[in-house]
Amino acid sequence: MDQHTLSRIDRAVADNIKDIQRSFGTQAGLVQDFIVFISHRLKTDLFGYTRFTLQDFCKQTGRNRQDLALLCADFVSGKFAAPVIEGFAFQTVFDYGLYSMMERNIIFSSRYEVREKDSVLVMHSFSILKDLRLNFVRGIKEQKVYEVRLSDELLQGFLSRYYTVNTESYKLVGKGRGGDSRKKLLLYLSKLSHVVQTSGHLETVVPLDRLCEFADITDVRPAHKKQNLVRVLNHLIVVGKFGFKYVFTSRNGYMVTLAFEPTLSRRLLQNEHNFYHRLLSGLRSVFDTQKVQSSGSFDKDPFQAWLVDSFADVEVKAQILAKAYYAGLGIEISFAHAISLIRSGTLFK
């Protein structure tokens, strides 16, 4: 598998996919897509705001650009008024989705605990976006360029608690009718694949009803339920190119044995984890020690403000980045190259 198609999704999100639906309603599919999209971009956009266009978003998620550029139906009907900030109306499907992720959190239906070394983090809600900027590129039909900064929760989840997901498969299964439901099931299967493969196994057994729940299959008759699940699973294999096989069993009712293809290199995953862990822990240590004050010192999170400031302590950041490259990935980069990466707001070129 091409390592560039592998991304990460925060376990707090993947373990609570159904809470996205409850928290965001009709926007849930778009919100889920955005989390997958932005998590993939975060692999390279750590030293700056993540910049993208609507076309970038659609290209990676399989969404239809025209659908997202439409005005929200509630605003067209006059049922609600679009929110306006500094003269800009967030009235398209995509713009209002971004606004909603700034305004609302994913509210977990039950207490969610994350164990980190000797501590337990208890989460009741999950925020997605901290900051959003809009730029208009004149001469290109006023093309909108979005710049976002992620929440602390999403950034921490990317670094320390995550499952891997194949972004190419995610995009492919999302195209066409029923795409949002297939994407939800794919995320659940990605979670299972990550868990069993990192534990040294390739198979697991799950209830048929659980798979149907993620795929939004609501048939009452078991035969119909099984028939529709087969159709969705085959779609993930054939169209999505997601590597797994399945067998139905009758043990304790309908159960499904899932066998995943060995796609994850534990060594590569560990190297990548070490790289990001060393990089962020080193940056955080320097920031806390020096009590750095940046141009964003009035920011609610001065560390992130310092991190995305490409002019603040560039030499120090470059030293830490170069060390993380060598210690985590076994690659030597020059000090000048490390500086150029930070200046450009990326991690890799």
Side-chain angles (χ1 to χ4, degrees):
M1 179 186 295
D2 183 356
Q3 291 294 316
H4 294 293
T5 66
L6 281 182
S7 184
R8 301 175 171 194
I9 185 167
D10 192 313
R11 293 190 181 195
V13 175
D15 289 341
N16 297 278
I17 294 175
K18 290 176 288 185
D19 289 332
I20 299 179
Q21 179 71 47
R22 191 171 57 81
S23 300
F24 286 90
T26 57
Q27 295 178 313
L30 178 60
V31 171
Q32 178 182 288
D33 277 2
F34 182 79
I35 293 174
V36 173
F37 167 77
I38 211 67
S39 296
H40 186 260
R41 295 294 290 264
L42 189 59
K43 293 185 76 173
T44 59
D45 291 344
L46 193 63
F47 285 111
Y49 280 77
T50 298
R51 294 169 55 90
F52 61 93
T53 64
L54 179 57
Q55 184 177 359
D56 295 331
F57 177 80
C58 292
K59 182 179 180 180
Q60 188 168 321
T61 61
R63 288 273 176 179
N64 187 298
R65 183 178 179 181
Q66 286 71 28
D67 292 341
L68 298 184
L70 292 174
L71 300 183
C72 288
D74 287 342
F75 301 151
V76 174
S77 66
K79 184 177 180 180
F80 298 104
V84 178
I85 298 178
E86 296 183 0
F88 180 82
F90 290 80
Q91 56 188 351
T92 68
V93 173
F94 187 67
D95 289 350
Y96 185 57
L98 292 177
Y99 173 86
S100 298
M101 285 183 271
M102 286 279 293
E103 183 185 48
R104 302 202 302 271
N105 295 348
I106 301 172
I107 307 299
F108 297 146
S109 55
S110 59
R111 194 170 97 154
Y112 183 74
E113 294 186 354
V114 180
R115 297 189 178 276
E116 297 181 349
K117 294 184 179 180
D118 298 327
S119 63
V120 176
L121 173 65
V122 179
M123 304 176 69
H124 300 278
S125 66
F126 188 97
S127 62
I128 303 170
L129 288 181
K130 171 175 288 188
D131 200 3
L132 169 64
R133 297 177 179 177
L134 289 177
N135 297 295
F136 293 87
V137 180
R138 300 190 182 280
I140 314 179
K141 296 182 180 180
E142 295 291 320
Q143 183 184 44
K144 281 185 285 189
V145 178
Y146 301 90
E147 295 185 5
V148 299
R149 184 146 57 101
L150 307 184
S151 69
D152 304 339
E153 292 89 344
L154 200 56
L155 178 60
Q156 185 60 37
F158 170 83
L159 296 170
S160 61
R161 54 171 194 272
Y162 58 87
Y163 302 118
T164 50
V165 56
N166 186 326
T167 54
E168 183 64 18
S169 293
Y170 184 84
K171 176 183 73 175
L172 292 173
V173 303
K175 295 182 178 181
R177 185 179 178 183
D180 284 350
S181 299
R182 291 191 294 270
K183 283 179 176 177
K184 280 196 300 182
L185 180 59
L186 181 74
L187 286 186
Y188 177 65
L189 294 180
S190 297
K191 164 189 169 179
L192 294 181
S193 176
H194 180 101
V195 170
V196 297
Q197 291 193 57
T198 52
S199 62
H201 302 88
L202 293 175
E203 290 189 5
T204 187
V205 180
V206 295
L208 178 146
D209 285 343
R210 185 178 302 165
L211 297 178
C212 288
E213 185 177 1
F214 281 101
D216 294 322
I217 296 173
T218 58
D219 299 270
V220 176
R221 294 184 60 182
H224 291 168
K225 188 179 295 186
K226 179 179 178 181
Q227 182 181 25
N228 285 324
L229 180 61
V230 166
R231 176 175 51 81
V232 175
L233 292 176
N234 287 342
H235 189 99
L236 266 59
I237 294 171
V238 177
V239 178
K241 299 178 175 56
F242 189 68
F244 75 102
K245 296 179 181 179
Y246 63 91
V247 177
F248 292 92
T249 65
S250 58
R251 184 177 58 190
N252 297 323
Y254 273 112
M255 303 293 288
V256 184
T257 298
L258 301 168
F260 297 98
E261 293 181 1
T263 56
L264 302 181
S265 167
R266 297 179 70 179
R267 181 181 61 82
L268 289 176
L269 287 176
Q270 187 61 47
N271 288 347
E272 182 183 88
H273 177 81
N274 289 339
F275 168 75
Y276 285 109
H277 177 74
R278 287 176 178 273
L279 177 61
L280 265 294
S281 61
L283 291 168
R284 171 65 79 172
S285 177
V286 168
F287 178 83
D288 290 341
T289 301
Q290 296 184 356
K291 304 295 184 183
V292 177
Q293 294 295 317
S294 71
S295 57
S297 58
F298 295 105
D299 194 285
K300 291 182 180 178
D301 180 6
F303 172 66
Q304 271 206 48
W306 174 73
L307 191 64
V308 301
D309 188 341
S310 60
F311 296 97
D313 301 288
V314 179
E315 292 80 8
V316 175
K317 292 176 181 175
Q319 290 176 353
I320 296 172
L321 178 59
K323 289 179 179 178
Y325 254 97
Y326 183 74
L329 303 176
I331 299 174
E332 289 192 50
I333 64 172
S334 67
F335 183 64
H337 183 53
I339 289 180
S340 70
L341 291 175
I342 292 171
R343 291 286 193 199
S344 65
T346 187
L347 291 179
F348 306 101
K349 276 189 179 179

